[in-house]
Amino acid sequence: MANDSKNTLRRGLENIHDPFSSFIRAQTTSSLFLLIATITALWWANSDYSSTYQNLIHTPIGFFMGEFELRASLKHIINDGLMVIFFFLLGLEIKREVLAGDLASPEHRSMLILCAAGGMVFPALLYSLFNWSLDSQVGWGIPMATDTAFALGALTLVRKHIPVSLLAFIVGLAIVDDLGAILVIAVFYTQEISVMHLSSAFALIALLAVANYAGVRQTLFYIIIGFVAWWAMLKSGVHPTVAGVAIALTVPARPKLASGKLLGKAKSTINAMQKKTKDVDVLGSKRDHEQVLELRDFAERASTPLRRWEDALSLPVALFILPLFALANAGVVFSLSSFIESLQHPTGLGIITGLVIGKFIGISGACWLGLRYNIGRLPDGVNFEHVIGVSLIAGIGFTMSTFIAALGFDTNPELLHNAKTSILVASVLSGILGVLYLLIISKKNSAKQGA
């Protein structure tokens, strides 16, 4: 009876744990956390406690050892430190997509690159038209970006009405888009460069690449060298998030142990355990415990560091780092007059037009050209109408757009305020338009099939 009770309890806990794990890992949960953090920041910055919000994000934090001192505000620690982990994860995703994802297929890759290029060029051009020769012209990179988490969160609202392959399409599109944004940050949003520190950073990243080629798989080695490379990049003047992507590209993507050898060794270990006894006592038998650990080591050597690190970082980034970034950067102080003024300013007009209209024209127009001239093809189940919906949703540029705005307008609080306000408005408009469009074409197609 006692064993039956224990088994029932164990099954009950498993039934609770499995759905909860699936829920936590779902993209909708990631976008939900990001949304909650954004709303909290907006409320906090406009509440009676607004002074505590400003004091918190600008509170200096650091440590010193003798004459050495490391000191920065909480906001800078998040933007220049924690966000490097987010960009590192982006780098891992980019490398995986190129090697084994949608970007590995030449036809899919051509279409994604074409659509992403259109979705970056047109928004930048429209922004520049509104801000030509003004101080705000430096913000042309703001409407180029797409927020993957929010975009996928918007698509999940209509997931019953769209093909699953459309989710994969927008992920690939956003990854190419992010890569373009990273290049823009590295080239155009760097002011002063220390050649010595930059050379040191590249030398350390090259060392990691050589270590990968030589078969080095020790996690600690990549962490230590990567940290020093990040520090050198930070001191060089180039934004350290670039180091996060570059380091990610050196992470081994191939398993140390071939799958055939893994199966052979694992089978022999399992057979040895089965011959000894039918019941494996991991707790009481030291030998059983060692054999189970041996199987774990086989599995680890057969997996890729790239995939393991991507899985390990996805939840902390989605549920902690990105919401923390939103909390520290989305706190825009609103008043009716300042809100209207922000939207009427060339910065606001450029961002809203770029994200809402520029993304739509750029992505859908590039897709039409690609299909017209057979430059690439769409995933199975995805048609041009779906891409139009995606081009609207891609105007949700919250995280990356805010990040670029903070870089471009770091010394101009007024322009930064206008930019953040406009990014929020454009992202909401894009999400609503995209979701409504996909719902309308879904009902339209259902009515045709019914007829």
Side-chain angles (χ1 to χ4, degrees):
M1 288 294 291
N3 289 333
D4 290 340
S5 300
K6 288 180 180 179
N7 292 332
T8 302
L9 178 61
R10 187 181 299 111
R11 285 194 297 269
L13 291 173
E14 289 173 353
N15 290 336
I16 294 173
H17 176 265
D18 292 343
F20 181 74
S21 298
S22 300
F23 171 77
I24 283 293
R25 291 182 180 277
Q27 185 60 51
T28 48
T29 310
S30 304
S31 53
L32 179 63
F33 272 64
L34 197 54
L35 180 62
I36 291 172
T38 304
I39 294 173
T40 302
L42 289 171
W43 168 82
W44 197 352
N46 291 275
S47 70
D48 295 335
Y49 309 100
S50 58
S51 59
T52 62
Y53 175 78
Q54 297 298 331
N55 291 336
L56 177 63
I57 63 175
H58 294 295
T59 297
I61 299 174
F63 66 90
F64 66 91
M65 184 180 299
E67 296 183 357
F68 175 79
E69 181 179 359
L70 180 62
R71 182 186 179 93
S73 69
L74 179 61
K75 186 175 181 178
H76 276 102
I77 289 173
I78 294 169
N79 291 0
D80 296 345
L82 291 180
M83 283 298 284
V84 174
I85 301 174
F86 164 68
F87 279 87
F88 177 76
L89 179 61
L90 274 184
L92 295 177
E93 292 174 349
I94 290 169
K95 185 171 183 177
R96 176 176 52 78
E97 284 292 319
V98 170
L99 294 176
D102 286 337
L103 294 176
S105 167
E107 292 180 332
H108 289 161
R109 180 168 60 239
S110 299
M111 180 60 76
L112 285 170
I113 292 175
L114 183 64
C115 290
M120 289 186 285
V121 171
F122 270 85
L125 287 175
L126 287 177
Y127 180 92
S128 297
L129 287 176
F130 284 98
N131 294 271
W132 191 259
S133 74
L134 300 176
D135 292 340
S136 54
Q137 186 179 351
V138 70
W140 60 268
I142 297 171
M144 292 176 63
T146 296
D147 190 300
T148 312
F150 270 138
L152 281 175
L155 278 180
T156 55
L157 296 175
V158 291
R159 62 186 179 278
K160 295 180 180 178
H161 307 282
I162 59 174
V164 176
S165 51
L166 189 63
L167 295 172
F169 179 78
I170 198 170
V171 168
L173 184 70
I175 284 175
V176 179
D177 189 286
D178 288 337
L179 182 58
I182 291 161
L183 292 174
V184 167
I185 291 170
V187 177
F188 298 101
Y189 289 90
T190 298
Q191 297 175 352
E192 297 180 2
I193 296 178
S194 167
V195 177
M196 182 187 72
H197 285 102
L198 187 61
S199 300
S200 300
F202 281 130
L204 291 167
I205 292 168
L207 174 62
L208 291 176
V210 171
N212 177 7
Y213 183 78
V216 177
R217 295 293 188 272
Q218 282 76 13
T219 302
L220 188 60
F221 173 81
Y222 285 90
I223 291 175
I224 293 174
I225 302 298
F227 178 81
V228 178
W230 164 79
W231 178 258
M233 190 74 77
L234 177 67
K235 303 298 287 185
S236 74
V238 176
H239 201 273
T241 52
V242 177
V245 177
I247 294 166
L249 298 180
T250 69
V251 173
R254 302 296 178 192
K256 190 172 183 179
L257 188 66
S259 57
K261 291 183 178 180
L262 163 72
L263 289 174
K265 292 184 176 183
K267 284 180 180 178
S268 62
T269 301
I270 292 171
N271 289 335
M273 294 172 68
Q274 288 178 332
K275 285 179 181 178
K276 177 191 169 188
T277 176
K278 291 183 179 180
D279 297 323
V280 179
D281 184 7
V282 181
L283 180 63
S285 171
K286 183 178 180 181
R287 178 58 182 163
D288 287 352
H289 173 68
E290 290 175 348
Q291 288 180 321
V292 169
L293 292 181
E294 190 177 353
L295 288 173
R296 182 201 63 184
D297 293 340
F298 289 153
E300 185 171 317
R301 279 181 281 165
S303 65
T304 70
L306 187 149
R307 199 69 197 236
R308 289 203 308 272
W309 297 359
E310 188 180 346
D311 291 342
L313 289 174
S314 58
L315 280 181
V317 167
L319 304 184
F320 176 69
I321 293 176
L322 287 181
L324 201 57
F325 171 81
L327 190 64
N329 290 273
V332 181
V333 179
F334 281 122
S335 67
L336 183 59
S337 59
S338 67
F339 180 76
I340 295 173
E341 184 181 341
S342 295
L343 301 186
Q344 292 177 339
H345 192 275
T347 304
L349 292 172
I351 290 173
I352 293 174
T353 307
L355 284 173
V356 179
I357 299 176
K359 284 286 186 182
F360 166 69
I361 295 175
I363 295 174
S364 57
C367 180
W368 182 86
L369 288 173
L371 295 174
R372 176 71 175 79
Y373 295 101
N374 295 319
I375 298 175
R377 69 181 182 89
L378 296 171
D380 295 337
V382 175
N383 56 40
F384 183 65
E385 286 186 331
H386 292 133
V387 175
I388 292 176
V390 164
S391 68
L392 291 169
I393 288 178
I396 304 175
F398 178 73
T399 303
M400 289 295 287
S401 293
T402 303
F403 190 82
I404 295 174
L407 293 177
F409 300 142
D410 186 43
T411 58
N412 195 322
E414 183 180 351
L415 289 180
L416 182 57
H417 178 275
N418 293 339
K420 287 182 177 181
T421 302
S422 306
I423 290 167
L424 288 170
V425 171
S427 296
V428 172
L429 277 175
S430 297
I432 292 173
L433 290 173
V435 168
L436 287 177
Y437 176 83
L438 289 172
L439 285 174
I440 290 170
I441 65 166
S442 174
K443 291 181 179 179
K444 180 181 174 182
N445 292 335
S446 298
K448 284 182 178 179
Q449 292 174 359

